[in-house]
Amino acid sequence: MCYCSSQCLAFAALLITCANACLHTRFARQPLVERQDTPLSALTPEETTLVEAISNTTISEWSYYYTHGAHLAGQNLTMAEWTADRWRENGWNSSIVSYDVFLKNPVNKSLSLTYSDGSIYQPSLEEAVLEQDDTTSYPNRIPTFHGYSASGSADAEFVYIGRGQQSDFARLIELDVPLEGKIAISKYGGPFRGLKVKNAQENGMIGVIIFTDTSDDGDITEANGYAAYPEGPARNPSAVQRGSVQFLSTFPGDPTTPGYPSKEGCPRADPSPVIPRIPSIPISYADAIPFLATLDGYGTTGAEVNRTGWVGALNVSYSTGPAPGSTISMTNLMEEVYTPIWNSIGIINGTIADETIVIGNHRDAWIIGGAADPNSGTAIIVELAKAYGSLLSQGWRPKRNIVLASWDGEEPGLLGSTEWVEEYIPWLTETAVSYLNIDIGASGPWPYIEASPELHTIATDVMKKVSWMDTGRNMYDIWLEYTGGSIGVLGSGSDYTAFLHRGIGSIDMGTGGDAADPIYHYHSNFDSYHWMSTFGDPGFLAHKSMAQYLSLLAYNLADQDGIQFDLPNYARQLEAYYEDLLSTIDSTSQNLDTSSLRSAIDEFSIGATEVQALEKQAVAIDDPELLTLVNHKYRDFQRGFVSQGGLPNREFYRHLIFAPGIDTGYAATTYPGITEALEAGNNSLAAEFVQKTADAILIAANIIKT
Ligand SMILES: *[C@@H]1O[C@H](CO)[C@@H](O)[C@H](O)[C@H]1NC(C)=O
Ligand SMILES: *[C@@H]1O[C@H](CO)[C@@H](O)[C@H](O)[C@H]1NC(C)=O
Ligand SMILES: *[C@@H]1O[C@H](CO)[C@@H](O)[C@H](O)[C@H]1NC(C)=O
Ligand SMILES: *[C@@H]1O[C@H](CO)[C@@H](O)[C@H](O)[C@H]1NC(C)=O
Ligand SMILES: *[C@@H]1O[C@H](CO)[C@@H](O)[C@H](O)[C@H]1NC(C)=O
Ligand SMILES: *[C@@H]1O[C@H](CO)[C@@H](O)[C@H](O)[C@H]1NC(C)=O
Ligand SMILES: *[C@@H]1O[C@H](CO)[C@@H](O)[C@H](O)[C@H]1NC(C)=O
Ligand SMILES: *[C@@H]1O[C@H](CO)[C@@H](O)[C@H](O)[C@H]1NC(C)=O
Ligand SMILES: [Zn+2]
């Protein structure tokens, strides 16, 4: 899947555009930041072994393997075994852990537009077959469809709903645009696509078409004179974004097993609270233009609707419609199955039994390729396993256990990781220190991270140890140039979600393009090995640098005497989120007593300073027992932030400091219980969550206090 980083919201001022499904922010590079030249930090002998073991040549071989066979969720056991075999031959204890999950496979679909004069437009619904790009013509290539979409048909006039957020619907209702019984046409971008469908369904609409818009493409468009892929870096006009329409912000994982692992024979719940009842179909921008053009002159123009992200870059007015008498006919047929999925799990046992670092990436893709999403990350973790193999063969053992995971079924709804966390939660609660996620490990030359605050310092320090691609500069300086030093807040959209909401701190990382880099065809057949090796990362050097980064980050977390967490930074972030909360209270003109939250943050802040001092003392006097005590506080404190009952109407999401926004899916909301109650105008609920959040922070503070 992917993620829209919270950066989309938090650093809106920096954005040129938020890619496609809001993969992550396409930052404007920072012209005002002085070019930095931080020297590379020195490496230990073990770190040198790791860095030198990583080769762009083998990474490109792994990439080629993963991008030349179908690997939708639950459809390629061979690939799962091949992954475990690579790890095993490098010294990791590896096995396959499977779950039995509910899925829907695409059978067939149709879509047409009948104009009021009776003439018909029939979109192709297919992506172009390109001679240069071998996997675009594979006979078993995957059709364009939405995961977990409903079977059904609809025949009605249609309305353009912008990006399909609740606030877009509020505007449509204000403008008296009829919604009941109509079909929606929505632009990708902004909220997670499943929420567009959910909102349409809740407004009485009967089907949804979602199209890609070139407004997500920065400067790199055919309109600006760039050739389209495969000749050039612009978007191929036929590219379609597949993807899940599960209601991600309610809960991820198998829709029929909320809160428990999907083992064969387990009880099954009704999935309808988290998957749509109305059909939906994704289309390309080329296919979308005639639909949108039909609405020109009807309803309210996009300029008058006047909402963020409503008007795109196509040559139409983005009018609401409906156009009387012009109708869409759509059918969508899906086959419901219960089917195994396969996680590959590798383990290096550390010398400390009860401290564990987990590293993960998903393996399943919507297409034969998947060179960026997710198999850039997969190639990187296979190379990481190989690099650790060099250390193991020297007789090295880490202090902490390292678990390596290749998740299946991420794309339909974070299935493999969520079910695994639900199965191993007692052990994870006892031992997990951090979860390190890599999904789109490389889709351009610029690195970014999102992380829980205890990891900010180690994550940026380790960047100073990585020489970035062939630039002669270190990763830290490149990252600073791209992001201005911003670290995103984790929302959802990738496999860290189940970990984080059980109180296991996480980081997510990757690379992307800026507004001047080639367009990344997210969830399209053009996310292929050919695209990657000609446009996305020719030479596989971003892959190589990211493999070095992830290997070194894991090494530093797993093998230093003291766990490298920065809790004073966590306290500072709690403070910053608190300031944001005060602004939300202001902007919603409500009265809310937040003094208990205020004093809980102060308590946490005191504890953070104390535990940091204790760690320094333990290291200075070389007291292993004291260090173990500190390390266990670091390991455990974040469990305090999770609340048993979870957030209102979404029990899965338990972290009270950040969660995916209920109407964003990808982007994070901070102090979500309080903030969303305020936004909904429910003051008593907000007050209840001030107390719950304060209590949670006090529990965490008590864990770290000395
Ligand atoms: C599984 O993936 C491998 C590697 O890409 C490929 O060779 C194989 O054909 C795929 N299997 C199926 C059943 O598609
Ligand atoms: C889809 O398949 C079903 C069953 O094979 C068939 O009845 C239906 O006509 C097909 N619909 C389309 C749009 O191809
Ligand atoms: C659009 O909305 C903004 C506030 O959201 C307002 O300041 C501006 O005047 C509006 N423009 C038009 C053309 O209505
Ligand atoms: C945009 O559409 C209008 C009306 O359909 C047409 O006259 C004009 O030539 C188009 N402009 C471009 C740049 O295609
Ligand atoms: C793998 O398991 C074996 C047997 O349980 C054990 O001896 C070995 O140390 C393990 N290897 C690693 C890398 O943890
Ligand atoms: C490795 O660790 C796992 C989990 O703690 C444990 O079950 C297993 O026995 C360990 N293996 C060895 C060889 O220490
Ligand atoms: C690996 O990188 C080198 C430059 O450092 C480059 O010459 C080579 O072509 C790259 N290999 C692959 C397979 O892209
Ligand atoms: C506020 O939230 C509570 C708890 O979910 C709910 O029972 C109550 O009806 C809500 N009140 C309003 C005014 O929406
Ligand atoms: Zn992904």
Side-chain angles (χ1 to χ4, degrees):
M1 201 184 289
C2 223
Y3 35 83
C4 169
S5 82
S6 42
Q7 293 159 346
C8 291
L9 298 184
F11 310 113
L14 302 181
L15 305 185
I16 290 223
T17 164
C18 190
N20 222 336
C22 223
L23 315 179
H24 74 102
T25 311
R26 291 164 67 87
F27 286 97
R29 273 194 268 160
Q30 302 296 294
L32 300 178
V33 173
E34 288 275 305
R35 187 187 143 137
Q36 309 278 318
D37 273 308
T38 311
L40 269 188
S41 303
L43 303 185
T44 66
E46 286 81 9
E47 288 179 326
T48 303
T49 301
L50 288 172
V51 164
E52 288 180 354
I54 288 166
S55 141
N56 62 329
T57 306
T58 34
I59 290 176
S60 76
E61 287 164 16
W62 315 142
S63 172
Y64 189 91
Y65 171 80
Y66 286 110
T67 54
H68 284 78
H71 49 302
L72 277 174
Q75 296 196 3
N76 201 324
L77 176 58
T78 309
M79 193 183 270
E81 285 171 339
W82 188 92
T83 304
D85 288 346
R86 297 290 78 69
W87 298 351
R88 196 174 296 115
E89 71 196 19
N90 284 295
W92 298 67
N93 283 332
S94 305
S95 59
I96 303 292
V97 178
S98 69
Y99 297 95
D100 231 39
V101 300
F102 172 73
L103 280 176
K104 291 185 171 194
N105 296 322
V107 179
N108 65 22
K109 62 183 180 294
S110 67
L111 177 64
S112 63
L113 163 58
T114 305
Y115 295 97
S116 52
D117 68 2
S119 60
I120 288 179
Y121 163 65
Q122 192 86 54
S124 84
L125 306 180
E126 298 253 2
E127 301 190 275
V129 167
L130 309 174
E131 204 182 315
Q132 299 91 324
D133 187 339
D134 55 353
T135 53
T136 61
S137 61
Y138 271 29
N140 61 338
R141 64 187 180 273
I142 321 291
T144 57
F145 76 109
H146 279 150
Y148 283 127
S149 188
S151 290
S153 56
D155 199 325
E157 290 178 349
F158 60 104
V159 167
Y160 176 58
I161 60 163
R163 296 188 302 182
Q165 256 181 312
Q166 286 171 7
S167 49
D168 293 318
F169 281 96
R171 182 71 176 129
L172 288 165
I173 289 164
E174 188 178 75
L175 292 167
D176 276 331
V177 177
L179 301 172
E180 188 79 32
K182 305 289 189 228
I183 291 172
I185 180 162
S186 181
K187 183 163 160 283
Y188 268 121
F192 182 73
R193 69 185 84 63
L195 301 179
K196 300 170 194 275
V197 179
K198 178 173 188 262
N199 293 335
Q201 175 176 305
E202 287 175 356
N203 281 281
M205 305 189 82
I206 60 173
V208 184
I209 309 299
I210 310 183
F211 67 96
T212 298
D213 196 290
T214 49
S215 58
D216 293 327
D217 295 351
D219 305 334
I220 308 298
T221 59
E222 287 188 282
N224 282 348
Y226 292 94
Y229 180 74
E231 277 76 31
R235 183 178 301 279
N236 184 292
S238 72
V240 177
Q241 180 190 136
R242 294 159 188 76
S244 176
V245 288
Q246 189 184 28
F247 302 161
L248 178 64
S249 61
T250 306
F251 67 84
D254 183 337
T256 65
T257 63
Y260 57 94
S262 300
K263 287 296 186 182
E264 217 179 326
C266 70
R268 300 285 169 170
D270 169 16
S272 64
V274 284
I275 61 175
R277 282 193 316 271
I278 62 173
S280 63
I281 294 177
I283 62 174
S284 65
Y285 85 77
D287 276 357
I289 290 170
F291 289 96
L292 296 168
T294 302
L295 301 180
D296 279 351
Y298 297 100
T300 304
T301 66
E304 291 168 78
V305 173
N306 190 20
R307 280 201 38 80
T308 313
W310 187 278
V311 172
L314 305 175
N315 184 22
V316 294
S317 63
Y318 293 90
S319 293
T320 60
S326 291
T327 57
I328 286 178
S329 287
M330 64 190 288
T331 65
N332 188 45
L333 185 62
M334 306 285 288
E335 172 203 21
E336 300 191 348
V337 294
Y338 288 91
T339 192
I341 57 168
W342 305 282
N343 293 335
S344 319
I345 303 289
I347 300 179
I348 300 176
N349 275 17
T351 53
I352 303 170
D354 61 359
E355 295 172 18
T356 302
I357 306 293
V358 184
I359 306 167
N361 151 263
H362 72 96
R363 189 179 59 251
D364 65 305
W366 287 121
I367 52 247
I368 302 280
D373 184 6
N375 302 120
S376 53
T378 323
I380 284 167
I381 62 169
V382 170
E383 193 67 10
L384 171 149
K386 190 187 106 192
Y388 276 85
S390 317
L391 277 184
L392 288 171
S393 67
Q394 299 170 2
W396 170 88
R397 272 306 164 104
K399 296 196 171 59
R400 303 184 179 89
N401 307 313
I402 303 178
V403 172
L404 193 53
S406 169
W407 311 117
D408 197 358
E410 188 266 2
E411 290 292 358
L414 319 181
L415 307 182
S417 58
T418 304
E419 301 310 315
W420 190 81
V421 168
E422 288 172 348
E423 178 167 15
Y424 292 100
I425 191 61
W427 177 71
L428 287 168
T429 301
E430 271 179 34
T431 78
V433 171
S434 296
Y435 172 67
L436 318 181
N437 192 61
I438 187 161
D439 186 332
I440 302 181
S443 68
W446 299 99
Y448 59 87
I449 59 172
E450 306 174 313
S452 45
E454 78 282 4
L455 290 168
H456 289 183
T457 302
I458 180 77
T460 47
D461 281 352
V462 169
M463 288 179 186
K464 296 174 186 160
K465 298 183 173 184
V466 177
S467 172
W468 190 251
M469 298 176 70
D470 274 346
T471 61
R473 300 173 64 197
N474 83 40
M475 178 180 176
Y476 179 77
D477 291 343
I478 299 283
W479 168 79
L480 208 56
E481 185 179 332
Y482 183 45
T483 67
S486 305
I487 300 176
V489 180
L490 291 165
S492 185
S494 195
D495 291 305
Y496 54 80
T497 310
F499 291 89
L500 191 62
H501 286 273
R502 297 294 193 137
I504 299 164
S506 303
I507 182 170
D508 189 32
M509 63 186 71
T511 74
D514 77 0
D517 289 312
I519 288 312
Y520 162 49
H521 299 83
Y522 172 56
H523 289 181
S524 144
N525 281 347
F526 312 125
D527 179 8
S528 60
Y529 186 87
H530 181 75
W531 177 83
M532 184 61 79
S533 54
T534 51
F535 289 102
D537 187 21
F540 291 84
L541 295 173
H543 284 74
K544 176 180 172 179
S545 296
M546 287 301 285
Q548 292 173 333
Y549 175 63
L550 182 55
S551 299
L552 291 180
L553 181 61
Y555 171 80
N556 278 276
L557 284 166
D559 210 35
Q560 297 232 21
D561 293 338
I563 294 174
Q564 300 294 297
F565 281 1
D566 183 349
L567 266 54
N569 181 61
Y570 215 123
R572 284 193 296 279
Q573 299 302 318
L574 291 177
E575 185 73 43
Y577 308 154
Y578 183 75
E579 294 302 319
D580 292 345
L581 179 66
L582 294 184
S583 313
T584 305
I585 294 172
D586 247 22
S587 69
T588 59
S589 316
Q590 293 176 64
N591 288 319
L592 187 66
D593 177 3
T594 57
S595 55
S596 59
L597 180 58
R598 168 75 275 158
S599 56
I601 296 169
D602 292 340
E603 285 301 300
F604 184 87
S605 193
I606 293 166
T609 311
E610 282 178 9
V611 74
Q612 195 181 50
L614 196 65
E615 183 202 335
K616 290 209 173 95
Q617 186 194 346
V619 172
I621 63 175
D622 193 18
D623 180 340
E625 273 177 37
L626 190 57
L627 202 54
T628 300
L629 179 82
V630 170
N631 283 342
H632 286 180
K633 287 177 182 296
Y634 280 160
R635 181 194 62 193
D636 298 337
F637 82 97
Q638 191 139 216
R639 315 284 193 262
F641 293 142
V642 307
S643 125
Q644 275 312 315
L647 294 170
N649 305 316
R650 43 182 190 143
E651 199 182 338
F652 177 91
Y653 288 102
R654 303 179 180 195
H655 205 297
L656 294 182
I657 312 304
F658 26 73
I662 186 85
D663 195 37
T664 63
Y666 293 119
T669 301
T670 50
Y671 297 131
I674 313 170
T675 304
E676 291 190 337
L678 285 168
E679 284 166 356
N682 191 333
N683 197 271
S684 61
L685 187 62
E688 187 188 318
F689 269 86
V690 167
Q691 201 49 53
K692 282 191 175 170
T693 309
D695 289 347
I697 295 174
L698 284 179
I699 292 171
N702 284 330
I703 294 171
I704 52 179
K705 281 197 152 177
T706 59

